[in-house]
């Protein structure tokens, strides 16, 4: 392949003429080396793609009060829609299948919240007693070497802290306003999530057909197939993540229960919810359980709890994921860590929650396009998606 165009012979001096129109344009093109022209073509296209991504990102950030509830609804629907399809396949009326699916989701989520509230109310007296004992132990720890903080110094520090709090009462008042605003936004987001979930479960297929209809006619088959592949990947990811979260919650919750930690069941539920953020969420909630063990039980129990957390994560990483995570939802741990970090940097906790499923779905859709799988199978299932992600055919 020639990297430099052949230039025409230079005319003798005195015979050159001013170039105009097509001749001038052709002369400029012939003067530019081919590698520079290729780099330029790639450069402006990459700049255009980056510009589009920046605009989309800014829109998502500014419309996050709408985008986040909708994405949560998509994650919930990825679990409920297959269940609805299972009921319809077993001759349930469509309206009843939708109703049962939605009621099941409400009962599960409401049940988790109810258990947490009941456990906190029942364990509150014990927590108060253990908190007083932990506070006394902490004071004794500060009075001993190497800190050697006397009771007078400790009282002075508390007085300084109280004075600082009193001087910042205005900040506290504004913080109360922030809390009210946050509660209002959470309530609004909850309503949007509920309505979006209902309509996605009820009529998600027709909504997707409308989205596909926005694309040019020639691209609709490919877009529809890629969307189907992404949806299959998302449903598989949610099922896998629920199972992994259950194992994490059961192992860490059982360890907390055997060690006699307060609120062992709420700890397990928090670990379950946190595990939906792959790798990072389970680690953070596991560290929180170790801290609770350190405060309320002592260093030995904290070390034992740390061992339980490490064993659970080793079991998850070395046994669960290799056996239950197929190629369709497999994401390299390095990509998981960076995706979660980028998502949390851009959108906080919601960004960390959506980062990994977004990466997994995008990866499958791109490979589906690259393999031109829609030419042979426009309605892929999980086996087709796994095959596409392992072998991407390219034209010779």
């Amino acid at each position: 392949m020639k990297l430099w165009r052949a230039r025409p012979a230079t005319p003798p001096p005195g015979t050159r003429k001013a170039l105009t129109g097509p001749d001038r344009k052709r002369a400029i093109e012939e003067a530019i080396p081919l590698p520079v022209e290729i780099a330029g073509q790639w450069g402006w296209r990459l700049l255009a793609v980056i510009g589009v991504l920046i605009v989309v990102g800014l829109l998502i950030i500014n419309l996050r009060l709408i985008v986040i509830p909708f994405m949560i609804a998509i994650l919930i629907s990825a679990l409920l829609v297959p269940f609805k399809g299972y009921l319809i396949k077993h001759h349930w009326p469509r309206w009843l299948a939708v109703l049962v699916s939605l009621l099941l989701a409400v009962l599960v989520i409401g049940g988790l919240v109810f258990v947490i509230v009941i456990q906190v109310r029942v364990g509150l007296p014990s927590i108060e007693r253990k908190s007083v004992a932990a506070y006394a132990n902490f004071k004794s720890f500060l009075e001993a070497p190497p800190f050697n903080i006397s009771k007078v110094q400790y009282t002075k520090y508390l007085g300084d802290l109280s004075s600082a709090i009193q001087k910042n009462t205005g900040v506290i008042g504004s913080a109360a306003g922030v809390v009210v605003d946050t509660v209002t936004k959470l309530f609004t987001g909850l309503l949007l999530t509920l309505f979006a979930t209902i309509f996605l479960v009820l009529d998600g297929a027709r909504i997707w057909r409308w989205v596909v209809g926005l694309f040019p006619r020639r691209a609709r088959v490919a877009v529809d197939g890629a969307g189907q592949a992404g949806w299959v990947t998302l449903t598989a990811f949610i099922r896998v993540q629920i199972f992994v979260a259950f194992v994490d919650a059961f192992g860490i919750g059982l360890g907390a229960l055997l060690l006699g930690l307060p609120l062992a069941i709420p700890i397990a539920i928090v670990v379950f919810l946190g595990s939906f953020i792959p790798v990072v969420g389970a680690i953070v909630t596991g560290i929180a359980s170790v801290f609770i063990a350190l405060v309320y039980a002592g260093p030995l129990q904290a070390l034992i709890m740390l061992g339980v957390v490490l064993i659970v994560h080793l079991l998850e990483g070395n046994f669960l994921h290799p056996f239950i995570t197929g190629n369709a939802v497999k994401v390299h741990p390095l990509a998981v860590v960076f995706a979660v970090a980028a998502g949390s940097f851009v959108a906080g906790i919601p960004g960390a929650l959506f980062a990994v499923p977004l990466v997994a779905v995008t990866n499958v859709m791109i490979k589906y396009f690259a393999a031109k799988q829609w030419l042979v199978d426009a309605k892929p299932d999980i086996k087709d998606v796994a095959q596409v992600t392992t072998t991407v055919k390219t034209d010779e």
Side-chain angles (χ1 to χ4, degrees), residues 14-39:
T15 60
R16 296 181 181 177
K17 297 181 180 179
L19 299 177
T20 58
D23 293 335
R24 180 182 178 86
K25 182 178 179 181
R26 185 168 59 252
I28 293 174
E29 291 176 350
E30 291 173 350
I32 299 176
L34 187 59
V36 175
E37 183 174 352
I38 293 174

Side-chain angles (χ1 to χ4, degrees), residues 298-309:
L300 179 59
Q301 287 80 356
L303 287 175
I304 296 174
M305 193 69 217
L306 178 61
V308 171
V309 172

Side-chain angles (χ1 to χ4, degrees), residues 23-101:
D23 293 335
R24 180 182 178 86
K25 182 178 179 181
R26 185 168 59 252
I28 293 174
E29 291 176 350
E30 291 173 350
I32 299 176
L34 187 59
V36 175
E37 183 174 352
I38 293 174
Q41 296 285 349
W42 271 103
W44 75 259
R45 286 175 171 84
L46 288 175
L47 288 176
V49 171
I50 292 172
V52 170
L53 292 177
I54 291 175
V55 171
V56 172
L58 291 175
L59 285 175
I60 291 175
I61 291 173
N62 291 321
L63 299 176
R64 58 186 178 275
L65 296 180
I66 298 175
V67 174
I68 291 175
F70 182 69
M71 295 187 71
I72 293 175
I74 290 177
L75 293 181
I76 298 174
S77 301
L79 183 64
L80 297 183
V81 170
F83 180 70
K84 181 199 75 173
Y86 174 82
L87 295 180
I88 293 175
K89 189 180 296 184
H90 286 75
H91 310 294
W92 284 52
R94 187 172 181 274
W95 67 270
L96 184 59
V98 172
L99 182 61
V100 170
S101 301

Side-chain angles (χ1 to χ4, degrees), residues 278-308:
V279 180
V280 178
I283 291 176
V284 171
T285 52
I287 292 174
S289 65
V290 174
F291 178 75
I292 292 174
L294 178 63
V295 172
Y296 292 104
L300 179 59
Q301 287 80 356
L303 287 175
I304 296 174
M305 193 69 217
L306 178 61
V308 171

Side-chain angles (χ1 to χ4, degrees), residues 20 32 39 102 145 168 214 228 254 281 283 310 316 322 372 383:
T20 58
I32 299 176
L102 295 172
N168 292 277
L214 298 176
Q228 298 286 345
L254 181 61
I283 291 176
L310 292 177
E316 171 194 333
K372 297 183 178 179
K383 295 181 180 178

